[in-house]
Each structure stands twice: as C-alpha cells, then as structure tokens.
C-alpha cells in the first residue's frame, strides 16, 4: 500500500503542473497578506490599540441604547463589550495590528487548496484512462480497490501539504510584515456561560483550517467520483469547480425553502455553527455532519464501485 | 516441468449489450511455446487479451493462469503475467526509468538491479533517463517489453508487439522471444496481423474470426495440410503451347497462366511426367518450382478473405 502511494506521489510531484499550483499558492498568500497589511489601519499597531478599543466601547454602548436593534446584533455587541473590557483589564491586545491578523486572514485561501486538489482529483483517474496508462496500472498484483485508495490518499496528502505551506508561508511572511511580536496572544471569546475565555491562537487557526478542510474533502470526493464514473477529466473538474463556486449562490436562492437544508451546500461550511449563524434556523452541527457524512459515503462508494467493476476498454 | 497448460480458456464468452464479441473460446497454451493469435481486424484478439489480464470482465466461462482463476484469484494469477495491451502507453511526463520504478514498486521483491537488467535487455540504456514523451514509437515499444519482463513473468502477453518496430527491432524481438521460451521456459502469447511475422515467430497459432475460434494448430501443420495437391510454377515458353500440353497430363487438377509462366495444381509425383512431355514438345523450360503456400494464403483461405468485423 505504501509503495502504491509512493507511486501516486511520484506521478504527482514529477509534473510541472503540481509545482505551478504550489507556486500559485505561495504567491496568493504573499499577495493577499501584503495587500491586507498595506491597506490596514496602522493606528492599531503598537500601543495605539487602547485608545481605539476605548472608542469602540463608547460607540457600542451608544448603539445598545438605540431601540431598533435586532437580537443578533445586540448579543454580538454585548459580547464584544465584555471582551473589550477583559482586554483593557488584562492588557490583552486585539489581533489587529499583529501578525495574527494577517495569518487569520490568509485562512480564506483554503478555497485555493480546494480548487487545486479538485483539479488534480478530476484528472487523477480520468487522465489514466485518457492516456491509456490505466491498462498497465491495473495488470499488476494490486487490487483495484488498493489503487483507488492510494490515489485518494495521495490527494488528501496533497491538500495537507498545501495546507502546511499556507500555514508556514503566512506565519513567516506576516511575521516579516508586522514583526514577530505577541506570539502568545490568546484568542478571546465569550463562552457558553457568558464569561470571557482565553483560547490558543494557533489551535484555533488549525480548527478553522480543518473545518474548511472538510469542504475540501467533500469536493475532492465529488471530483474523484465523476472522474471515476465518466472517465473524463474535463467533466470532473468542470462540474466540481462549478459546484464549488455556484453552490453558495444557489443556496442563497433556495434559503426560503425548508427542504434546502438537506442539500450538500447548506451544510458544507461547518464554521456556520461556530459563529452561531446557521443557514437555516434549527440546523445543528450534528445535523450538518450527518448530511456531509452521507454525501461523503455516497460519493466514495459510487466512485469505488464504478472503478472496480467496469471494463477497461481504453 | 509439468505439462499442465500455463494459460487455459474454458468456454470464454464476452457479451457487450446484445453483441457477442467473443463466443465460446476454449483452448490451452502449453508451457514454453510462442502462441499466436491471428485474425482480421475486429476478430476479438485484443478483447481476449483484455479478459486474460483482468481488464475486462468475462461474461461466461473462465480463464486460468497457472491454475489460478483470473477473476476470483486475480492477484495470484496476474503475478505470473507480463503484458502489453494494444499500445504501450506509459507516463509521458516521467522518464523511462521512473516508469519502470513505478511498475517495479507494484510487485514485491524486484531489486533495482533487475530494472537495469531489463533496460539492457531492450537496449534502452542511452535513453532511459529521458522523458517518455521524447521517445519514438519503437522506443516506447521496447520500454513496454521491459515493463512486461520486470517481474520475470511465466506468461508474456503481447498485443501486436511488432507494431512500430523497425525490421532490426522485429528481428531482435523475435530472437529474444525465442530465447525466453527456449532458455527460460516462458510462455509467450502474441497477437498480430503481420502473418509473415507469425510464421517466423510462433510455434502454434489460434485463428480467430468474428469472436470464434476457427482453428488451433502447430504452424507446420498449417503449412502442410494440403500435402497431396501442391501448387507448382513452371516458367516455360511459349506459354500457350505449354498450357495445352500440361492440361492433357493425367493427375493435373488445374492449370492457369500467370505472369511468370504457368501455374498448376498437381500431385508431386506427376511433375517429372509434366516436364518430360514439355521437353518432348520442344518447349523451353527455364524454371520449375513448388509454390509454397504461405500462412497468409492459408489464412485467407481459412477465413475466406473475410472482411473486417
Ligand atoms: N467496449 C466495447 N464495446 C462494444 N464492442 C466492443 C468493445 N470493444 C471491442 N468491441 C468490438 O469487439 C470486436 C473485437 O474487437 P477487438 O479490439 O478485440 O479486435 P482485434 O482482433 O483486436 O482487432 P484489431 O486487429 O483491429 O486490433 C470488434 O467488433 C469491436 O467493435
Ligand atoms: Mg487489437
């Protein structure tokens, strides 16, 4: 099994295409971080944050006293005020003006990881059929299931590699831009019992990464399934990318319909449950996880069944 | 060595939709032979090979390789097989060497040494580290043979292996296949339309037509089936007169003028009689020879000059 994964990795990393993606990934992190830093409000840097926070507190207090405020916004304001008090009291600055601001911002670029991995996944099986190399691949003493699994795992490894690149590059580059200060700055959040709690910044960052990674895995499974079923890279990549970008728009259109909560795209962003604003009222984290798990299972089952059963006539 | 067949097909049938592509094939390939698949385009040679290596499912019947069922014991059966199916398609973006590393990794117990060995064998040492996309067809064919031999298979299955090879390459391949069968006891199955090639290469041929097995015979048997009545060519002048005389000889079953002279079908025993009659009639004889019927003629005769499909 290990040697099969080594093979897949060899086929992956000895292609220029893969390295173009890696370079694009690094480039996007550099550019994104630089732009954010460049247009940043510099008053938050250094010790300027105290006055800024004090200002913010005043504004939010005023806002709270206005009668026409929604419940959600009200709760948000109250939480922020608690957190800001905690900051001033314990001398814990906000992330703005530190490298963490830039690092957390670049977590958005995970969508690029999804995009690149989907492209490779879509081509992974279909490409072997198109070039005919599938024939020599399948006439070895390795079951089709193992070959399928090795390909799948190599895709997951590829996305993990991109994730590590994202992390390392964004830490290093934002460190250079903002200075490597406040390394141990905690993340402040109001917990369930209404108290401000301190969390580890890096742990939280990886939590964001992995939650987004769930959607990467779902999209990759989808591309891999289409690749296996239709044996066409163009189709697999096209459909998956369309889904990746059109999914959110589609869900906005369907939000009024109750049944839309069972759709894949309503659940693919798990961070909706962390922020407490799910797609529809009443959706829970476990509900989303079940919907995602079912999709994951179906995609992979179809992809595996089709790949191991069908004749190779390429 | 056991006399058990290395590859055996039992009532193998392949249907796709309503079409029966392969119809009830049954034959054995004995160990150490070069076995040829002969048939016009679309006869089902490639399909049969695909089923033998597990790329296509078998609708009915079974295929055994060294006694292992290719369907239910795939991994044990395929271990003994090295193959090229149609064109030897390799990863173009990898070097020839990395392609071999790739296939070597898929079978346990192949040392680096063995890769070097097969590369030498197919004479690709100079270009093995080039990317396959820079290879010529013949070079890719050689690399294909190299990957098929990596794991020292008992059965080598080559679908149209001479395709793309130059005459020297074909000769080399032929010699090499002979070496493998004679010295190492490997069994080779080749398919080809190059009938003349088959004649030189194979010990035994199976003729396929429209998915059916027409005949399996040793190559010599093919050549000698019509031993009694043979075709002879007599280069003689004047042709008209010679024709008239030969036609009268008892035991001659057919005569016709051809570009070089006359062609007759007759028992070998009557030839001296024919010649002496011609000499008596003062006809100039330049050459008398038997026209050996080639495998190609036999083949066309057997399949009735069959059209494609
Ligand atoms: N996947 C398929 N679906 C339907 N019919 C097929 C399929 N593959 C092959 N055939 C049909 O099966 C028959 C045999 O094809 P095959 O490729 O085995 O012939 P072949 O003997 O290798 O011919 P050639 O000498 O041209 O290589 C042909 O009539 C072909 O049209
Ligand atoms: Mg063929």
């Amino acid at each position: 099994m290990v040697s099969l994964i080594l093979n897949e990795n060899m086929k992956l990393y000895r292609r220029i295409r893969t390295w173009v993606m890696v370079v694009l990934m690094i480039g996007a992190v550099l550019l994104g971080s630089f732009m954010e830093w460049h247009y940043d409000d510099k008053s938050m840097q250094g010790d300027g944050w105290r006055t800024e926070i004090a200002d913010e507190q005043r504004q939010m207090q005023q806002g709270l006293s206005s009668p026409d405020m929604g419940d959600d916004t009200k709760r948000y304001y109250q939480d922020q005020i608690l957190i800001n008090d905690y900051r001033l009291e314990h001398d814990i600055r906000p992330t703005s003006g530190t490298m963490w601001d830039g690092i957390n911002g670049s977590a958005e670029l995970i969508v690029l990881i999804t995009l690149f991995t989907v492209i490779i996944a879509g081509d992974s099986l279909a490409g072997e059929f198109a070039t005919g190399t599938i024939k020599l691949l399948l006439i070895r003493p390795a079951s089709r299931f193992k070959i399928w699994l090795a390909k799948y795992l190599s895709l997951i490894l590829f996305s993990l590699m991109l994730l590590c690149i994202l992390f390392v590059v964004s830490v290093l580059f934002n460190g250079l831009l903002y200075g490597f200060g406040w390394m141990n700055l905690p993340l402040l959040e109001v917990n369930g019992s209404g108290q401000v709690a301190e969390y580890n910044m890096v742990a939280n960052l990886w939590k964001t990464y992995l939650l987004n990674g769930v959607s990467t895995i779902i999209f990759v499974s989808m591309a891999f399934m289409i690749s296996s079923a239709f044996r066409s890279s163009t189709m697999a990549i096209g459909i998956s990318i369309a889904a990746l970008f059109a999914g959110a728009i589609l869900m906005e259109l369907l939000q009024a319909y109750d049944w839309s909560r069972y759709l894949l795209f309503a659940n693919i962003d798990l961070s909706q449950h962390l922020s407490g604003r799910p797609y529809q009222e009443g959706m829970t984290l476990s509900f989303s996880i079940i919907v995602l798990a079912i999709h994951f299972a179906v995609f992979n089952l179809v992809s595996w069944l089709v790949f191991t059963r069908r004749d190779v006539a390429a | 060595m056991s006399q058990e067949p290395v590859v055996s097909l039992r009532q193998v049938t392949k249907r796709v939709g309503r079409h029966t592509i392969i119809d009830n094939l049954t034959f054995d390939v004995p160990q150490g032979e070069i076995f040829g698949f002969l048939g016009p385009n679309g006869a089902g040679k490639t399909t049969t090979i695909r089923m033998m290596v597990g790329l296509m499912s078998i609708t009915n019947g079974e295929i055994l390789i060294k006694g292992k069922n290719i369907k239910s014991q795939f991994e044990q059966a395929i271990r003994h097989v090295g193959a090229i199916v149609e064109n030897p398609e390799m990863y173009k973006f990898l070097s020839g060497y990395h392609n071999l590393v790739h296939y070597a990794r898929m079978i346990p117990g192949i040392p680096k040494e063995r890769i070097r060995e097969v590369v030498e064998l197919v004479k690709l040492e100079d270009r093995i580290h080039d990317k396959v996309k820079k290879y010529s067809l013949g070079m890719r064919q050689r690399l294909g043979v190299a990957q098929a031999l990596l794991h020292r298979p008992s059965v080598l299955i080559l679908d149209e292996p001479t395709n793309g090879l130059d005459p020297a390459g074909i000769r080399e391949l032929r010699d090499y296949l002979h070496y493998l069968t004679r010295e190492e006891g490997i069994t080779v199955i080749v398919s080809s339309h190059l009938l003349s090639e088959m004649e030189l290469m194979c010990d035994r041929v199976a003729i396929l037509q429209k998915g059916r097995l027409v005949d399996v015979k040793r190559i010599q048997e093919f050549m000698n089936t019509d031993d009694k009545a043979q075709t002879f060519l007599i280069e003689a002048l004047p042709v008209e007169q010679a024709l008239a005389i030969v036609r009268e000889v008892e035991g001659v079953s057919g005569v016709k003028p051809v570009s070089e002279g006359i062609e007759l079908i007759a028992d070998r025993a009557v030839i001296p009689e024919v010649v002496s009659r011609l000499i008596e009639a003062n006809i100039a004889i330049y050459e008398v020879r038997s026209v050996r019927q080639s495998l190609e003629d036999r083949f066309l005769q057997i399949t009735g000059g069959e059209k494609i499909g």
Side-chain angles (χ1 to χ4, degrees), chain B residues 41-42 44-47 86 159-160 191 193:
Chain B
N41 288 134
K45 305 180 293 289
T46 302
T47 306
E86 286 189 319
D159 195 4
E160 292 173 38
S191 83
H193 326 100

Side-chain angles (χ1 to χ4, degrees), chain B residues 88-298:
Chain B
E89 286 118 343
M90 302 279 185
Y91 299 101
K92 288 203 165 75
F93 51 87
L94 294 180
S95 67
Y97 182 77
H98 280 117
N99 268 287
L100 293 179
V101 168
H102 177 268
Y103 297 118
R105 277 204 196 119
M106 298 186 76
I107 303 157
I110 297 182
K112 280 248 149 53
E113 192 57 29
R114 178 65 186 162
I115 297 183
R116 234 202 51 231
E117 240 172 78
V118 291
V119 169
E120 266 173 32
L121 210 77
V122 298
K123 302 200 167 65
L124 269 180
E125 302 98 313
D126 293 342
R127 304 291 302 273
I128 197 67
H129 290 291
D130 285 2
K131 291 244 168 21
V132 170
K133 63 167 149 266
K134 293 186 189 155
Y135 282 15
S136 68
L137 178 57
M139 288 160 72
R140 268 180 275 151
Q141 196 68 258
R142 283 159 193 262
L143 190 61
V145 173
Q147 69 64 42
L149 288 172
L150 260 182
H151 51 296
R152 302 179 189 280
S154 318
V155 191
L156 190 60
I157 301 178
L158 307 172
D159 195 4
E160 292 173 38
T162 51
N163 187 7
L165 290 183
D166 56 20
I170 292 178
R171 199 198 174 90
E172 247 171 61
L173 178 76
R174 195 164 65 218
D175 291 347
Y176 188 64
L177 293 183
H178 280 135
Y179 163 79
L180 284 177
T181 49
R182 307 297 179 260
E183 305 298 320
E184 303 200 4
I186 287 181
T187 307
V188 179
I189 297 176
V190 288
S191 83
S192 175
H193 326 100
L194 284 175
L195 309 169
S196 49
E197 258 306 312
M198 284 259 167
E199 207 171 337
L200 292 171
M201 201 186 279
C202 300
D203 299 309
R204 200 184 288 264
V205 278
I207 295 188
L208 282 185
Q209 193 192 2
K210 290 186 175 174
R212 292 212 185 90
L213 189 65
V214 177
D215 213 347
V216 189
K217 278 211 177 99
R218 296 197 66 84
I219 204 103
Q220 294 91 328
E221 294 174 48
F222 268 113
M223 309 316 306
N224 305 331
T225 36
D226 291 333
D227 232 351
K228 281 183 271 137
Q230 270 184 306
T231 311
F232 293 89
L233 185 99
I234 299 179
E235 212 181 313
L237 279 177
V239 173
E240 284 308 318
Q241 238 177 300
L243 267 179
I245 292 165
V246 172
R247 204 171 274 134
E248 298 305 311
V249 182
E250 207 176 321
V252 174
S253 49
V255 190
K256 64 174 181 196
V258 290
S259 58
E260 297 115 311
I262 56 174
E263 207 177 80
L264 62 149
I265 298 170
D267 219 355
R268 201 178 166 78
V270 302
I271 296 301
E273 173 71 13
V274 172
V275 173
S276 66
R277 291 268 192 96
L278 289 173
I279 291 171
E280 274 168 30
N282 268 340
I283 291 185
I285 300 173
Y286 298 90
E287 191 180 349
V288 181
R289 62 183 155 99
S290 89
V291 182
R292 204 172 71 112
Q293 200 182 20
S294 71
L295 187 57
E296 186 152 346
D297 297 329
R298 277 293 293 150

